[in-house]
Amino acid sequence: QGAERRGRTGPPTPPRPPAGGEGSRRGAGRSAPKRAGAPRATPPAAMIQANKGNVITDFHKTSLDIRYKELQYFLGVFGRMSGISSLLAGFASSALMLSVPPEENPWLVVAFLVFTGSGFGMNLLVILIATLCSMWAPGKALRGNDSYHLHETIDILEKQQQTAMRFFVLGLFSYFISSIMVTWLFFDKLGAILATTLVTTFLFLLVRQSLVIRRAFITSKPFVTGYIRGNPCGSTNGFNRA
């Protein structure tokens, strides 16, 4: 009967290892799945490149902010020059409509017409330069492909400002000479001498005051522009290659 019982139940079952044994630890270590969303440590090289990109971005942003202030400065200068030149051109055009007496000296009449026309034309040139620069310069700086168009726009504005200033000074001087010629055409000799003396005195004071203000604000050394020189293309390519 004992043999029959052993034959029915089969061979004895081997003992199971304990729950906290070495075998369970190995099996658990082999069968434990890896977590897909586990954070990975950022390498130091990537952090350095990220900081480098941030520094380059801030650098170019600061450079463009400075150049934008220069753009606003030149537009303000052109606006003021245009307003004063419009006033002088209006005075010159009024002088051109005066009827000159036929018995006057023809050379005096020719000089009057030359200086009056010169003052009118030069002030119109100042108005034209200021108007065109104020219209087209912001568009070129804003809609250009890169920052180079902003730098080029400011360089063009600086050159055009110097040209407009020359025309403005010549137009102002021509207007003063034209005013002196008017006194000799329509006043008597005593009145013409008195008016010429007054206008010449104020012209001298105007030139003197202009030179004093120029020396106070403008030095012999050239002004420093807001253009920050660098190598943005090389920096960007190096950043991308890294």
Side-chain angles (χ1 to χ4, degrees), residues 189-207:
K189 188 174 182 181
L190 180 61
I193 293 174
L194 180 61
T196 302
T197 304
L198 290 176
V199 173
T200 305
T201 302
F202 282 107
L203 179 61
F204 172 76
L205 293 176
L206 186 146
V207 173

Side-chain angles (χ1 to χ4, degrees), residues 7-20:
R8 292 176 184 175
T9 57
T13 305
R16 295 181 179 180

Side-chain angles (χ1 to χ4, degrees), residues 68-82:
Y68 176 76
K69 292 180 181 179
E70 286 189 83
L71 177 64
Q72 294 298 318
Y73 161 74
F74 283 114
L75 293 179
V77 170
F78 279 120
R80 291 173 178 85
M81 291 177 63
S82 176

